[in-house]
Amino acid sequence: MLIDGTASAGAESGLLTEARSLLPDVVALRRRIHRLPEVGTYLPRTQRAVVEALDGLGLTVTLGRRLSSVVAVLDSGRPGRTLLLRADMDALPQQENTGLDFASEVPGVMHACGHDAHAAMLVGAARLLSARKGRLAGRVVFMFQPAEETAGGALPMIEEGLLTPAGGTAVDAAFALHINARNETCTVHVRPGTQYAAADVVRVSVRGRSGHAAGPHRVLDPVPVACEIVQALQTMITRTVGIFEPAVLTITTIRAGSAFNIIPETAELSGTYRTLSEATRSKVREGIARVAAGVAAAHGMTVDVELPEGYPTVQNDPAFTALVRRAAASALGPSRVHELPHPTMGGEDFSYVLQRVPGAMVFLGACPPGSVPGTVPDNHSDRVLYDERALAAGVALHCAVAEEFLRGGGSGGEEGECGATIGVARTDESG
């Protein structure tokens, strides 16, 4: 077991034990990043923290030109395949309310989706795989990505050569994991096929005619029409999309007006729609434009509808997913590996990587100690908490998948607990 960051003598052996020995440093890096979160494509403090943590491992490190990305390549020196392991690094624009002693020091910005943990786990995996380099045949590419939550950092990284690093050697497959506060700690949840929905954007501007609030009959009030469009869109989903063709449409913002006694000229709506197939995606897209225009026309108004495409669906390759399942069972124990019963309607720009190479993304459970899985605040909550013991499982899983794919050696099939008390290594928090 881990006691104050050290392994008790002779208690365990294998890949998970080695990952646990790194846990204090992994947790310290996670907390350093958590304290100073950054949003979007420009993450200079986070990039610096990752580069400093990778120093001395003998990796070939490349920094992004258009964004604060980090690509590090481990070359075993022996011929073989190339596997990409990915972590995102960006935070969300919301105020943290966790009460943690390492809570965000940046007003209005918070790591609420676990990307700080993702980055720290991947650094831990880079350290462990570097130490186990003699077991590998081929290369491992470590992808540290900004802007998953905003503009999407995966495509710019691909355009900058992510999939042909290390002197032009092409990536053969890719793997990523996503931490989840609502799943039991150290459990892995896998699914072949569709894992994440396509995540697209809705923007509707209703154009009326402004005037005095005391005389609505003399103007064209866009506010009730905007409200009617919101309701009509929900009806459109339930009455035109089949129940076995999942689609979610949510309007999240309504903006209109500047004073209590002025009917505004416009009312603006925005939101998102999520679908699991291109056919349903096209159907919903057409329906939004038709319904918004029709409702507005019924009241003598017009609309401007913008429907920019977001991330496509994440498609897990079945064969690679089976490899991940074997690796996870070997590293963490078979009882910790579960199959997801259905996709999630969230969106992920790892989809762009998986459009180009086979691979998979899985969920790693990290429900806080003493809590009941499924009942705690979820990812993107301002109160979300994660069990940091799960970070050792994430490190081990990255390494197990890499070793399985590169056929460089196996890992122990231990079952035990995730760990006990975490002793956190001291790090420089000034960056």
Side-chain angles (χ1 to χ4, degrees):
M1 302 289 285
L2 282 173
I3 305 296
D4 295 327
T6 62
S8 57
E12 294 177 343
S13 62
L15 182 57
L16 182 55
T17 301
E18 293 182 49
R20 286 177 184 153
S21 72
L22 299 176
L23 186 57
D25 287 335
V26 172
V27 169
L29 178 60
R30 183 250 167 161
R31 294 183 181 186
R32 174 183 176 181
I33 295 171
H34 191 93
R35 282 191 176 98
L36 298 170
E38 297 169 297
V39 176
T41 60
Y42 185 60
L43 318 176
R45 290 192 299 258
T46 308
Q47 184 188 55
R48 183 165 63 250
V50 168
V51 170
E52 289 174 359
L54 295 174
D55 187 44
L57 299 182
L59 308 177
T60 301
V61 177
T62 304
L63 305 184
R65 298 186 297 274
R66 295 158 50 192
L67 67 172
S68 300
S69 60
V70 180
V71 178
V73 179
L74 170 63
D75 193 329
S76 70
R78 288 176 289 278
R81 296 186 291 182
T82 300
L83 176 69
L84 182 146
L85 301 176
R86 178 266 203 166
D88 38 16
M89 305 187 295
D90 57 319
L92 286 160
Q94 66 187 98
Q95 185 65 38
E96 181 164 353
N97 289 302
T98 61
L100 293 168
D101 58 7
F102 56 91
S104 171
E105 298 173 5
V106 181
V109 183
M110 174 194 178
H111 271 291
C113 201
H115 296 187
D116 52 340
H118 297 171
M121 285 186 285
L122 192 56
V123 167
R127 291 184 180 181
L128 188 50
L129 285 170
S130 295
R132 296 166 68 96
K133 183 177 175 179
R135 296 170 176 257
L136 306 178
R139 289 152 299 280
V140 182
V141 178
F142 303 96
M143 172 190 180
F144 296 90
Q145 177 203 315
E148 191 280 324
E149 298 287 4
T150 53
L155 269 182
M157 291 186 69
I158 291 170
E159 291 165 359
E160 290 189 357
L162 169 71
L163 299 180
T164 53
T169 302
V171 167
D172 295 298
F175 173 71
L177 60 81
H178 202 302
I179 201 165
N180 190 312
R182 293 173 66 86
N183 290 340
E184 181 185 352
T185 292
C186 296
T187 57
V188 178
H189 300 258
V190 304
R191 177 182 172 81
T194 306
Q195 167 99 347
Y196 275 92
D200 297 312
V201 179
V202 181
R203 299 191 191 103
V204 178
S205 179
V206 184
R207 298 190 175 278
R209 186 170 64 246
S210 66
H212 201 290
H217 59 290
R218 295 191 293 269
V219 301
L220 292 175
D221 187 352
V223 174
V225 175
C227 295
E228 189 173 332
I229 288 173
V230 174
Q231 294 299 104
L233 290 176
Q234 300 307 313
T235 301
M236 182 271 293
I237 290 292
T238 63
R239 291 299 179 266
T240 64
V241 180
I243 60 172
F244 299 113
E245 306 170 33
V248 172
L249 194 164
T250 304
I251 299 300
T252 55
T253 72
I254 302 178
R255 297 184 178 93
S258 59
F260 78 96
N261 58 353
I262 300 173
I263 291 174
E265 188 84 9
T266 61
E268 297 179 347
L269 313 172
S270 69
T272 183
Y273 62 102
R274 310 296 175 97
T275 54
L276 298 179
S277 72
E278 284 302 316
T280 305
R281 193 181 192 186
S282 296
K283 181 186 294 185
V284 172
R285 181 184 180 87
E286 184 278 330
I288 293 170
R290 172 173 43 80
V291 168
V295 172
H299 297 278
M301 300 184 206
T302 60
V303 292
D304 293 328
V305 179
E306 296 179 19
L307 299 168
E309 288 192 356
Y311 303 154
T313 59
V314 170
Q315 297 291 330
N316 287 342
D317 178 77
F320 192 89
T321 304
L323 180 149
V324 172
R325 179 189 288 275
R326 294 194 303 271
S330 176
L332 307 179
S335 68
R336 295 193 180 277
V337 184
H338 307 279
E339 182 154 333
L340 287 170
H342 50 71
T344 174
M345 300 306 283
E348 246 291 349
D349 77 339
F350 190 57
S351 53
Y352 293 119
V353 175
L354 297 186
Q355 283 183 333
R356 291 157 173 83
V357 298
M361 178 176 234
V362 304
F363 290 118
L364 173 67
C367 184
S371 301
V372 178
T375 67
V376 298
D378 203 354
N379 295 24
H380 285 222
S381 167
D382 61 351
R383 290 179 168 80
V384 66
L385 299 171
Y386 300 101
D387 186 350
E388 291 180 319
R389 296 177 302 171
L391 273 60
V395 171
L397 180 57
H398 274 306
C399 295
V401 170
E403 292 188 351
E404 180 77 13
F405 183 75
L406 300 181
R407 302 180 186 278
S411 56
E414 51 192 338
E415 180 73 40
E417 296 296 327
C418 281
T421 304
I422 300 171
V424 180
R426 301 176 68 87
T427 60
D428 178 13
E429 301 296 345
S430 62

